[in-house]
Amino acid sequence: MPDVMTSHAKIFVSGHRGLVGSAVVRQLQRQGFTNVVTATRQELDLRDPQAVRQWFKDHRPEFVIHVAGKVGGINANATEPADFIYDNLMIHATVLRASYECDVRKLLYLGSSCIYPRDCPQPIKEEYLLTGPLEATNRAYAVAKIAGLVSCEAYRTQFGCRFISAMPTNLYGPHDNFDLVSSHVLPALIRKFDDARRAQQSTVTVWGTGQPRREFLFVDDLAEACLFLMQNYEGPDTINVGTGEDVMIAELADTVRQIVYPGSEIRYDRTKPDGTPRKLLDVSRLHKLGWAHRTPLMEGIRMTYQWFLEHASQHQRR
Ligand code: GDP
């Protein structure tokens, strides 16, 4: 019988307060898993090897869904590269090591679509990893995430650990970071249009030229894919998780405008970077395994905006 997660299995979700971690916990609860363990940043500093080892010894998780990490948008990555590389290298090294040492039965590691080479052919196939130079604006982050991914392979090879990995595209949804400086484009746009609506300002500024193309996956869909892979996938190769469809930033901005503040106009600030011209994942491997996303972009943005409105007062409205 394959060693799958049963409803009472002890499952550690790292980073449960973040966009992805909170969605994974929601999904586990939805699917009837009753023994999910988490640790806040105050309880456990995932960058601290000693603390992580001790926590694993004390709690003995059987399965690990490792989604913690320092993440941020184009500006945060460009201005805090030292923190991005240090935090992520440490977090991945400690969690993987402790999982190996404490005999975790299976672990899922999440990469990110921005760790593929900047100019690789589109849509991006899993095998393009490490075939060319990285995008400069998030190189430090990418190198740390690649180190985590290669670590999974290494633990599989050397110790036979069941460490699998998935490569999600750009994500969005409840519990995202809506801060204007450090966030990714989709929450930033929701926040910008909502701020303009409240202030009755007619123009909203979008960074760059509006020409780059990006793919967006609703985070609850990603969480479902994570559990699907935990239960159904054993291979050494990473698996792209996305929708297989991309949009121009200008189209995205217009969609958010229509939902949040149809009376406004868009202005482009060309002094801000565009970043990589296109990022679209080839999701045929995932589709072949039997999983496809379900939430259309428009619906996902509506749900995210609703969540933002309900939580805006206590959430990053600085
Ligand atoms: P990336 O996918 O790593 O480049 O990260 P982002 O999500 O931060 O940016 C995606 C694209 O959206 C880039 O071309 C940005 O220039 C563009 N963009 C437009 N307006 C904004 C904004 O207000 N915030 C962010 N973060 N990006 C924006």
Side-chain angles (χ1 to χ4, degrees):
M1 202 182 102
D3 183 23
V4 295
M5 299 187 297
T6 56
S7 58
H8 299 296
K10 196 167 198 179
I11 305 166
F12 173 45
V13 180
S14 69
H16 71 289
R17 291 231 167 123
L19 171 69
V20 178
S22 60
V24 170
V25 171
R26 273 198 300 282
Q27 191 64 36
L28 284 165
Q29 285 164 349
R30 222 173 268 164
Q31 295 192 18
F33 293 95
T34 54
N35 197 1
V36 177
V37 285
T38 55
T40 62
R41 218 168 272 193
Q42 289 71 38
E43 287 160 351
L44 175 61
D45 182 350
L46 289 172
R47 297 169 302 183
D48 178 344
Q50 205 55 43
V52 174
R53 182 177 298 122
Q54 194 56 49
W55 190 92
F56 270 70
K57 280 186 180 156
D58 293 344
H59 293 84
R60 291 275 160 195
E62 294 168 87
F63 295 88
V64 173
I65 303 184
H66 176 42
V67 300
K70 180 177 168 65
V71 296
I74 195 164
N75 183 63
N77 270 279
T79 53
E80 300 161 30
D83 288 348
F84 273 88
I85 197 163
Y86 177 78
D87 287 1
N88 285 304
L89 275 176
M90 295 304 287
I91 287 171
H92 304 322
T94 60
V95 171
L96 267 54
R97 192 75 192 174
S99 296
Y100 153 62
E101 287 175 351
C102 293
D103 301 317
V104 162
R105 282 154 65 183
K106 189 168 183 177
L107 173 145
L108 171 70
Y109 172 83
L110 284 193
S112 162
S113 62
C114 70
I115 75 182
Y116 283 115
R118 177 194 153 87
D119 296 315
C120 64
Q122 306 283 326
I124 305 170
K125 290 184 195 296
E126 287 87 350
E127 57 262 33
Y128 298 162
L129 189 72
L130 289 171
T131 56
L134 299 164
E135 156 66 27
T137 49
N138 54 30
R139 213 154 69 102
Y141 173 76
V143 166
K145 292 300 285 185
I146 292 170
L149 205 78
V150 174
S151 300
C152 286
E153 294 168 23
Y155 280 98
R156 288 179 74 97
T157 307
Q158 190 174 342
F159 302 119
C161 295
R162 287 167 75 213
F163 290 179
I164 62 166
S165 69
M167 204 76 103
T169 191
N170 292 21
L171 303 165
Y172 69 99
H175 297 275
D176 208 342
N177 166 19
F178 290 86
D179 174 67
L180 287 180
V181 178
S182 62
S183 67
H184 282 104
V185 60
L186 204 153
L189 291 177
I190 289 181
R191 167 82 185 271
K192 280 181 180 177
F193 280 99
D194 193 61
D195 282 355
R197 181 182 66 81
R198 286 163 188 264
Q200 291 296 300
Q201 274 164 3
S202 57
T203 11
V204 171
T205 304
V206 174
W207 293 352
T209 61
Q211 297 303 303
R213 300 186 70 89
R214 295 286 185 278
E215 176 188 17
F216 297 96
L217 178 70
F218 189 56
V219 73
D220 288 73
D221 287 2
L222 170 78
E224 197 188 88
C226 287
L227 299 200
F228 173 83
L229 291 170
M230 276 302 267
Q231 302 292 53
N232 295 288
Y233 183 67
E234 292 296 337
D237 302 325
T238 193
I239 301 288
N240 285 341
V241 184
T243 63
E245 299 152 16
D246 62 355
V247 291
M248 223 171 23
I249 294 299
E251 291 171 62
L252 175 76
D254 197 56
T255 306
V256 178
R257 186 185 69 80
Q258 285 169 38
I259 292 171
V260 178
Y261 186 20
S264 60
E265 277 171 31
I266 295 169
R267 198 190 127 250
Y268 289 95
D269 177 358
R270 290 182 169 77
T271 65
K272 291 282 196 296
D274 268 346
T276 196
R278 190 174 186 207
K279 230 182 331 178
L280 173 65
L281 295 181
D282 182 325
V283 286
S284 43
R285 264 195 204 170
L286 184 62
H287 285 180
K288 252 182 231 143
L289 287 169
W291 188 90
H293 81 288
R294 56 169 92 226
T295 311
L297 183 59
M298 189 82 155
E299 191 187 324
I301 296 175
R302 277 189 206 285
M303 289 194 278
T304 307
Y305 182 45
Q306 193 55 42
W307 186 90
F308 174 76
L309 286 176
E310 283 160 15
H311 296 83
S313 54
Q314 74 251 34
H315 196 82
Q316 291 150 323
R317 185 166 279 288
R318 294 192 273 254

